[in-house]
Amino acid sequence: MSLALRYRLIDLARGTDSVGLLKALRAWQFESAEKLESNTRTELEQYFNELRQTVPMFKDVERFEDLPVIDKRFINDHLDELINPNFKGTVIRKKTGGSTGEPLIYFTGAQSQSYLWAGIYLSWEVAGYKFGDRVAFLAGPSLFATGYKQSIYFRLLKVTLMSAFNMTAETMSEYGRQLQNSEIRLLYGYPSAIHLMARHYLDAGKTLSTTLRGIVCTAETLTPAMRKDIEAAFGVPCYSQYGCHDAGISAFECEHRDGFHLISTRCHSEVLPDGQFISTDLSNRAMFMPRYNTGDIVRQSNRQCACGRGFPLLDEVLGRQNDMVTDTRGTTVHSLFFIYLFREDVRIRSFQVIYDESQLYVNLHIKQLAEQELSLLEQHVREIIAKTLVFHQLNIIFNQPFVALANGKHSFVMKSIR
């Protein structure tokens, strides 16, 4: 089967045009920031006019910025009112996994689905991917759903699936053999799982010799320490991608890896003063979700990347808005407290904080340290935390297995449910 036919069949089966949109994105990304912004404003005006004509609750709102910021609960409560009865085309039912504590059911169309895959392909191309290359997914159900249709898509895409669940030493060694004995050019998946595999080899004094051109991490935070380990183990550049499909967000690192380029032809984005990331998917006219709160906290940049892309830059995706820790006194800190505390310490490769009403567990994955240095590190972490948070028990542990979420993802901060 020819390469062109293979990808046309994928789009035909999905009812999308991701290949055509990717060709457009390759050109649009190098348009000037001013032109891209102007085009987005025009698209936003059309969206807002259609919204007011279609959704009665918003018909009297005079300006787009006067619309309320909405969240998952609002959408679930007003689902029928937000669906566009005038939409012509295939309507696709979607559901988020509920990692923020509240699942979301929403509807979208072929244009949004086309953007989803075109954005993924664009991020892969930065890492050296070419149409027809073999790809390995090391992740969970958020990246590869099961089912007959999905298996056909992955076969056509030449994707090898590697589950992020049950990452035993034997499993990781088998994944390594698959990467070394095949012509897989790209590894795509959860940074926590890829990092765990990297440490499996580095701790054994080994590295992997593969045909990979690059690695793209998604769905979780990729820390500098994790990136360093991954590149050391696999011997290829590691990139990060950020997406929130329900909000119309797709952003990727370019060759400079100095921030995320946000595909602004798809969405109108806003960053509130406290960092809350708000977005409107302009490509989704099957259902209106204006000024949707993504649940993420970001830092936006006003600078231009040296690569010449005109897409706006996000300096950093800092974490979830609901990643909070509350101590026995009711004092609350965001997970950023721990991220900033640990990410600049070269001794710490990754971490996880688990807490309940009386105890706080800090699990630090660190490189091998002498006993005295280990003791000093524990004392330092304990003193810093104790200045801000008070628990009946503060437990610092090292190199213990992380607790994974039900979907296989890694959460840096979790509340224990007992």
Side-chain angles (χ1 to χ4, degrees), residues 30 57 82 117 131 183 206 261 268 283 314 346:
F30 290 107
M57 75 173 84
L82 297 171
W117 279 99
F131 272 149
E183 294 185 352
K206 300 177 181 178
H261 293 273
H268 169 69
S283 71
L314 300 176
V346 296

Side-chain angles (χ1 to χ4, degrees), residues 140-188:
S142 67
L143 288 195
F144 50 81
T146 58
Y148 176 70
K149 285 186 177 181
Q150 284 73 20
S151 66
I152 294 176
Y153 295 156
F154 290 135
R155 193 176 302 120
L156 290 170
L157 274 172
K158 301 166 78 171
V159 169
T160 297
L161 301 180
M162 300 176 176
S163 175
F165 294 104
N166 193 28
M167 294 278 287
T168 64
E170 293 77 13
T171 300
M172 289 186 284
S173 294
E174 174 56 29
Y175 290 164
R177 283 190 289 272
Q178 289 184 55
L179 291 173
Q180 288 178 308
N181 298 326
S182 65
E183 294 185 352
I184 295 172
R185 304 299 190 196
L186 182 83
L187 178 58
Y188 181 60

Side-chain angles (χ1 to χ4, degrees), residues 294-410:
T294 65
D296 290 326
I297 293 177
V298 304
R299 282 198 300 111
Q300 194 170 27
S301 174
N302 293 320
R303 59 190 173 84
Q304 187 79 18
C305 182
C307 72
R309 288 176 174 86
F311 286 149
L313 273 177
L314 300 176
D315 274 332
E316 198 171 9
V317 180
L318 296 166
R320 304 294 301 176
Q321 294 170 19
N322 62 343
D323 286 346
M324 309 296 289
V325 174
T326 303
D327 70 5
T328 54
R329 304 169 304 172
T331 300
T332 298
V333 300
H334 192 269
S335 62
L336 295 178
F337 171 84
F338 298 98
I339 291 173
Y340 286 132
L341 173 59
F342 299 134
R343 72 176 180 178
E344 301 301 332
D345 193 321
V346 296
R347 298 169 295 182
I348 299 173
R349 293 168 175 150
S350 191
F351 74 91
Q352 186 173 61
V353 173
I354 300 178
Y355 73 101
D356 59 22
E357 288 76 12
S358 62
Q359 301 180 82
L360 181 76
Y361 286 85
V362 179
N363 184 1
L364 300 177
H365 281 202
I366 62 172
K367 64 182 184 180
Q368 188 172 358
L369 298 175
E371 185 175 346
Q372 183 178 7
E373 189 175 359
L374 184 66
S375 178
L376 289 173
L377 174 61
E378 178 180 350
Q379 180 182 347
H380 171 70
V381 171
R382 189 178 295 277
E383 289 176 353
I384 294 293
I385 294 175
K387 288 179 181 178
T388 304
L389 297 169
V390 174
F391 284 88
H392 296 313
Q393 281 187 261
L394 174 55
N395 306 281
I396 312 294
I397 56 179
F398 298 97
N399 297 326
Q400 297 301 305
F402 288 136
V403 176
L405 298 174
N407 58 9
K409 293 183 182 180
H410 174 78

Side-chain angles (χ1 to χ4, degrees), residues 119-120 123 188 216-219 239-243 250-253 260:
I120 290 173
S123 73
Y188 181 60
V216 177
C217 292
T218 190
Y239 302 83
S240 187
Q241 179 209 11
Y242 166 59
S250 184
F252 62 96
E253 287 186 321
F260 294 88

Side-chain angles (χ1 to χ4, degrees), residues 69-72 100 242-244 246-249 270 275-280 291-298 319-321:
V69 172
I70 65 175
D71 56 16
K72 290 182 177 181
T100 59
Y242 166 59
C244 180
D246 37 325
I249 291 171
E270 306 169 64
Q276 293 184 67
F277 197 26
I278 313 300
S279 179
T280 302
R291 304 199 74 201
Y292 173 52
N293 192 332
T294 65
D296 290 326
I297 293 177
V298 304
R320 304 294 301 176
Q321 294 170 19

